[in-house]
Amino acid sequence: MKDPRVLLGIAVSVIATAMLFYVVNPWEVLDALRRADPLAVVGCAASVVIAMWVKAVRWRLFFPRPEEIRLRGVHEALYIGYMVNTVLPLRAGEVVRAFVAAETEETSKSTTLATVLIEKVLDLGTMGLLLFALGLVFPDLPESARYAAYLSGAGLAVAVACIVFALAARAMATRMALWAEKRVPPLAKIGVAGLLNAFLDGLSFAQHPLTLAWVVVWSVVQWSLSAGTVMLALLAVGITGGSTYELVEMTLLVLVATNLSMAIPSAPGYVGVFHGVFVATLALFAVREDRATAAAVVEHALVFGTFIVGGAYFLLRGDAVRTSGRRLGELVSRAKSDDSAGAH
């Protein structure tokens, strides 16, 4: 029998896609795509490629000794992991990229997995901070988005408080994690206490002012490029907003909404859910559904298409071939079994 999580994800994507088809005219979407500005489309694709390189540069800084980690190794692992998330269910890509990077760079798998966890927490925190900032900077933000912004600020404050507590009282935090593992079997299976300690160990980069400064710089560059990807997708199909101010507002809100929507169960590649959230966000600015859908299709195709092409290339021609082989299914199985072994 198939994993129920897979069936749930497929069901959510099917429902989201059906709802989208209910409100849009596919022929109008196709017409908008045919009229898309080719220069903006090329720029959108280029921004994805550059952003992936920047993301690899920043990821490398999370390792205890970044100078011993090759940029090429983490860059290839990043693409392969993102490809796995795009084409296979259950989003095993993060475990796979940690496994590939650990194999190619000959470093600890638990340490590498901790760097991925740190990256995810940092990105989630960045999205929360950006959403909160939107509520402060843009006074005309739609009311529903404003409530989400304030809720995001509260959630971010709680998360920061929890991290500060765990750092200040690490022994107590570990005991609490072990207590939770004994009472909640799924947490024990994941190995929450071990992940917590690996996460806190990984935060050592914050103790080095220069490294921390570079993490901030590369984070700003990465998210600026990601915002540029969204804006170019909008411009490609003629969505310009009433002013530059509104275009920036739309771009940032779509960026936050689509990134946070990846937590929703869906089919591989976030099909349907990504598009639905994209269109619903632009609806707050009275953007027509057909143009919004066309912009969503442009961004989704270029972003996730880049992941697939890049991941396939590095899987076949990169360093991962020597350590992990070319068969994707076998690679995922090895990464999962290795992760399960390390959790105990």
Side-chain angles (χ1 to χ4, degrees):
M1 181 181 293
K2 285 185 176 293
D3 191 308
R5 293 173 296 174
V6 177
L7 297 177
L8 174 62
I10 293 174
V12 171
S13 283
V14 169
I15 293 171
T17 302
M19 291 175 65
L20 195 58
F21 271 99
Y22 181 76
V23 299
V24 302
N25 184 330
W27 299 113
E28 291 181 353
V29 174
L30 289 174
D31 184 60
L33 290 172
R34 280 196 298 266
R35 296 171 182 270
D37 181 354
L39 188 59
V41 171
V42 171
C44 187
S47 67
V48 177
V49 174
I50 298 171
M52 287 292 284
W53 181 83
V54 171
K55 193 175 183 70
V57 170
R58 190 189 64 164
W59 180 23
R60 183 169 171 259
L61 295 174
F62 297 145
F63 287 83
R65 290 178 292 278
E67 66 279 359
E68 297 180 4
I69 304 298
R70 296 173 311 135
L71 178 58
R72 173 180 174 178
V74 292
H75 189 228
E76 292 184 2
L78 188 65
Y79 263 106
I80 292 171
Y82 277 30
M83 177 188 66
V84 169
N85 275 346
T86 302
V87 302
L88 296 179
L90 300 182
R91 301 175 190 176
E94 307 307 339
V95 172
V96 169
R97 73 159 156 134
F99 173 78
V100 172
E103 290 283 302
T104 58
E105 301 310 297
E106 298 180 351
T107 187
S108 166
K109 293 180 177 64
S110 59
T111 297
T112 307
L113 190 58
T115 64
V116 174
L117 179 61
I118 290 168
E119 179 195 84
K120 290 302 173 186
V121 170
L122 179 59
D123 285 345
L124 183 61
T126 300
M127 289 296 95
L129 181 61
L130 181 54
L131 182 56
F132 180 63
L134 283 171
L136 299 177
V137 175
F138 295 101
D140 60 340
L141 197 69
E143 198 66 24
S144 57
R146 186 173 299 282
Y147 287 138
Y150 295 151
L151 183 62
S152 171
L156 186 61
V158 171
V160 170
C162 290
I163 292 175
V164 170
F165 166 74
L167 286 170
R170 183 164 178 169
M172 182 182 294
T174 301
R175 287 197 298 271
M176 291 173 65
L178 290 171
W179 179 87
E181 281 187 7
K182 291 179 180 178
R183 287 156 180 78
V184 185
L187 295 182
K189 185 177 181 180
I190 297 172
V192 170
L195 280 177
L196 174 64
N197 281 293
F199 174 76
L200 295 177
D201 287 339
L203 287 177
S204 60
F205 75 88
Q207 300 173 3
H208 306 285
L210 183 59
T211 302
L212 179 59
W214 276 115
V215 167
V216 172
V217 168
W218 288 120
S219 294
V220 171
V221 173
Q222 175 197 320
W223 287 112
S224 296
L225 286 164
S226 296
T229 302
V230 176
M231 182 177 290
L232 286 166
L234 297 177
L235 293 174
V237 297
I239 300 175
T240 59
S243 63
T244 302
Y245 178 89
E246 186 176 73
L247 178 61
V248 172
E249 188 178 5
M250 285 193 298
T251 295
L252 295 178
L253 196 56
V254 168
L255 175 67
V256 172
T258 51
N259 273 275
L260 294 180
S261 73
M262 292 179 183
I264 301 173
S266 65
Y270 313 100
V271 174
V273 172
F274 177 92
H275 304 81
V277 170
F278 200 110
V279 173
T281 304
L282 289 180
L284 298 174
F285 299 91
V287 176
R288 287 172 45 190
E289 288 86 354
D290 58 308
R291 289 203 176 272
T293 303
V297 169
V298 168
E299 184 178 356
H300 186 272
L302 293 176
V303 171
F304 293 97
T306 298
F307 295 163
I308 293 173
V309 172
Y313 174 81
F314 288 126
L315 185 64
L316 295 173
R317 303 294 298 275
D319 290 346
V321 174
R322 298 197 303 270
T323 58
S324 308
R326 291 189 174 93
R327 297 182 60 182
L328 185 59
E330 182 181 345
L331 172 59
V332 174
S333 297
R334 288 181 59 197
K336 285 184 175 180
S337 61
D338 188 82
D339 180 55
S340 298
H344 299 285

